[in-house]
Amino acid sequence: MSGICGWLEVGSTATRNQQISERTRNPLVRFDGSPAQTIAKNNFALTVAAKPSHAHLHEANGLVVGVWGRIKFRDETLQDRAQAKGIAAVLAEQWRQNREKIFSEVAGEFVCSILDSDLQEVVLATDPLGTRTLYYQMLNKGILFGTSTDALLGHPQANSQIDPQGLFNYLYFHMIPGPGTIYQAQNRLLPGESLHFQAGRIERKRYTRVKFDEDLNRPFLDLKQEFLSLLKESIREVTQYQRVGAFLSGGTDSSTVAGILTEISGAPAKTYSIGFEATGYDEMHYARIAARHFSTDHHEYYVTPDDVVATIPKIAAIFDQPFGNASAIPAYYCARMAKNDGLDLLLGGDGGDELFGGNERYAKQYIFSLYEKIPASLRNQLLSPLLLSISPDIGLNLARKARSYVAQATVPMPHRMETYNLLMRYGFESVFSQEFLAQINPQQPATMLEHTYHETEARSLINRMLAFDWKFTLADNDLPKVVQACQLAGMEVAFPLISDQITAFSCKLPPQQKLKGTQLRYFFKQALRGFLPDEIIAKQKHGFGLPFGVWLQSHKPLREIAADSLSDLKSRHIVRPDFIDQLLDQHLHEHASYHGTMVWLLMMMEYWHKQHLPGSN
């Protein structure tokens, strides 16, 4: 899997660039050992590290093109030429003719870099859904970029000063959303964005934007036929000539991928599932239903608290920024099983919820939106004042529910989705030291949320929420989680449910086909009825959630490493020591699964510091 790293710097030398490229290359390959190709000249260097089918590097007439990932031209003629000459060579040709327009002519999961040493310019781009990350930093007389912040730090001009705002955003979002990073000097490209550097100036722009067509009205059977055809095409395309398996959580997405993989391969698909010996967390029953239904070659592993203790340092090491999604651990154990079985590629079902309306909050926000349909005068002058005046401690259950409903329904979107935010529930002043709060803008997350939500051109609530989640749920959270967990295991991963074709299909699907009243993924489930087992279609979404808070109560080694890491965190003057004490001594005993999330976030933040900045205090 690995990645890409490079720079352009006026006044550098080929010998120096070659030495630096070795330092920047090591973080790219340290986990999976992929082969690396490097071109180093007087004023630039570029390294692409990946297996041959995913690494593309071309140099001609002062122009160097590097591509990491799965990429192809939409135009068949150009794609035929790319197969004959190489994708990077054809990209170089097209760049001379069409400049940034070429990024709209390619599809797939990719990061692309173009360096012109004569004009001293650099152009970078990521795919429309941001399946791979790309960071950059300005140099004194140039630019530095790469798919890993650790790789960037191998350059002598890299700035490793921590950004307090990044730490705050991490605890707010449980990850650091782009374009920010953990380092003050580094930034990240957004999905579908390109960057142009020349003469010390940077220009960023979207080369593609989400466009929903909400007025199409095609017969269901036509939509179903096209959708099933696209599913098969997307899975077939990424699995050619490889030994392939699939994650299988027992949900609709992973079950669909496993079933179609079996169908197109003509042999039982290898599937991988994780279980937990914890009440309310184990979904293995549904994975087994799907495995039996499709007759897959099924493999299971039950993650234990001891596994978590052993894996936490590894997870903190593979993520180059603090990352708080605990399901990275079960994803890693799935990938490790596949690697041990000799597979080349795992297929993830990520993205189905965000393309077809599968998250519970979509239905919840629809219910809240109904309040807006009441005439404004009635809402503002009678209902809201009356119901909000009710004490939240009132004994009448119906009155309490009515007050709670109005209290949330009157919060504008997208902030309404944050009413359950863990950090906001605690209160910023209760969690952070005054010293730390003085260095950050606590309103930045709200500004980011609002900007992302309102930049989407869609009339329907569901499509605005889907586009919002493509950024914060997929590009910033779920995709990095799976990509990095698989890289830790040395396993390649692909996401066929978010192929360009299926994403385009989703954008043309009528909003009511995604969320019909409160029925989630209405079209998806109807289109796959008869293919998926009825139990899978009817089940509630769960996935590979880790029962960390529950295990903290019963597993002494896990409790000890959590307590030790939070004790060490106190010396960093980020989080109030009294909050940490209250979290461990009181809150965790009141509601282990709820408050265990904050313990995990703080623990992983401290482990990240120790893994990436071992000398920091």
Side-chain angles (χ1 to χ4, degrees), residues 469-513:
D469 276 349
W470 293 359
K471 164 68 169 68
F472 288 105
T473 300
L474 285 179
D476 289 329
N477 195 332
D478 288 352
L479 299 180
K481 174 196 73 178
V482 180
V483 167
Q484 296 300 94
C486 286
Q487 182 156 358
L488 181 61
M491 175 55 58
E492 193 75 31
V493 63
F495 306 101
L497 292 188
I498 54 173
S499 68
D500 295 74
Q501 304 96 314
I502 294 180
T503 301
F505 177 85
S506 167
C507 288
K508 295 185 294 184
L509 193 65
Q512 62 273 19
Q513 293 278 22

Side-chain angles (χ1 to χ4, degrees), residues 20 180 240 367 405 534:
I20 297 173
Q240 290 181 346
I367 293 172
Y405 173 81
D534 291 340

Side-chain angles (χ1 to χ4, degrees), residues 85-398:
K85 300 180 62 176
I87 189 78
V90 178
L91 276 170
E93 294 174 359
Q94 292 300 304
W95 169 254
R96 298 287 197 193
Q97 301 172 25
N98 299 309
R99 305 290 288 180
E100 281 91 343
K101 292 181 181 178
I102 64 170
F103 299 127
S104 299
E105 301 303 320
V106 294
E109 305 171 3
F110 66 87
V111 164
C112 180
S113 61
I114 301 173
L115 291 85
D116 191 319
S117 59
D118 296 332
L119 297 178
Q120 296 188 14
E121 70 174 336
V122 174
V123 176
L124 309 172
T126 60
D127 65 67
L129 284 181
T131 54
R132 302 293 187 267
T133 56
L134 185 60
Y135 306 96
Y136 67 92
Q137 176 198 318
M138 292 287 287
L139 301 176
N140 293 336
K141 295 181 180 180
I143 187 171
L144 168 67
F145 58 90
T147 51
S148 162
T149 63
D150 290 343
L152 266 63
L153 294 181
H155 193 283
Q157 287 190 40
N159 188 331
S160 62
Q161 187 171 356
I162 295 295
D163 185 2
Q165 189 70 49
L167 292 173
F168 179 83
N169 292 350
Y170 161 71
L171 290 177
Y172 187 98
F173 291 104
H174 305 183
M175 46 73 185
I176 302 176
T181 73
I182 189 60
Y183 300 108
Q184 288 186 358
Q186 294 185 16
N187 285 287
R188 173 181 168 183
L189 284 190
L190 297 176
E193 191 173 49
S194 65
L195 176 151
H196 181 252
F197 167 85
Q198 191 171 33
R201 297 181 58 187
I202 280 180
E203 180 186 3
R204 294 169 55 160
K205 62 182 179 181
R206 295 286 183 90
Y207 67 83
T208 182
R209 286 188 178 274
V210 177
K211 294 181 181 179
F212 292 102
D213 189 336
E214 301 184 312
D215 298 318
L216 290 178
N217 188 16
R218 295 170 55 196
F220 171 79
L221 289 179
D222 289 352
L223 290 170
K224 176 180 177 179
Q225 183 177 2
E226 180 182 355
F227 177 57
L228 295 179
S229 175
L230 289 175
L231 282 174
K232 294 175 183 178
E233 179 184 344
S234 296
I235 293 175
R236 184 180 293 112
E237 189 173 281
V238 298
T239 59
Q240 290 181 346
Y241 315 116
Q242 298 185 82
R243 295 165 294 180
V244 186
F247 288 96
L248 183 58
S249 68
T252 52
D253 291 330
S254 64
S255 299
T256 298
V257 171
I260 293 180
L261 180 58
T262 294
E263 183 177 305
I264 66 175
S265 66
K270 288 185 176 293
T271 52
Y272 299 87
S273 298
I274 293 298
F276 309 103
E277 295 289 355
T279 303
Y281 285 85
D282 188 35
E283 294 283 290
M284 192 67 80
H285 169 69
Y286 290 102
R288 290 168 180 164
I289 289 174
R292 287 195 299 268
H293 181 79
F294 294 116
S295 300
T296 70
D297 180 6
H298 190 53
H299 305 263
E300 301 176 355
Y301 184 80
Y302 270 77
V303 170
T304 68
D306 288 328
D307 290 328
V308 177
V309 170
T311 310
I312 283 173
K314 300 176 183 178
I315 291 293
I318 191 68
F319 285 96
D320 52 7
Q321 302 194 90
F323 189 77
N325 191 331
S327 60
I329 286 183
Y332 160 69
Y333 278 97
C334 266
R336 194 177 74 165
M337 282 192 287
K339 181 67 174 180
N340 291 339
D341 282 348
L343 298 191
D344 301 315
L345 176 69
L346 260 182
L347 302 184
D350 301 81
D353 284 331
E354 290 74 26
L355 262 63
F356 295 98
N359 289 319
E360 290 290 340
R361 63 179 173 276
Y362 301 151
K364 182 179 293 186
Q365 296 305 325
Y366 165 76
I367 293 172
F368 286 133
S369 73
L370 296 178
Y371 189 66
E372 300 169 4
K373 299 184 181 300
I374 299 174
S377 58
L378 181 58
R379 278 187 284 123
N380 299 333
Q381 298 176 25
L382 177 61
L383 292 178
S384 293
L386 175 63
L387 293 172
L388 291 176
S389 68
I390 297 173
S391 170
D393 300 323
I394 192 171
L396 297 175
N397 190 44
L398 182 59

Side-chain angles (χ1 to χ4, degrees), residues 514-560:
K514 301 170 184 175
L515 182 67
K516 188 172 185 178
T518 59
Q519 297 180 66
L520 299 169
R521 340 178 41 131
Y522 180 78
F523 169 79
F524 191 101
K525 291 182 177 181
Q526 294 302 316
L528 291 165
R529 195 172 295 279
F531 179 74
L532 291 176
D534 291 340
E535 299 97 323
I536 300 296
I537 290 178
K539 79 176 285 291
Q540 297 294 310
K541 177 178 173 58
H542 192 278
F544 289 150
L546 188 75
F548 175 73
V550 175
W551 282 347
L552 272 180
Q553 303 290 74
S554 58
H555 191 264
K556 185 178 178 181
L558 189 58
R559 189 165 60 249
E560 287 176 345

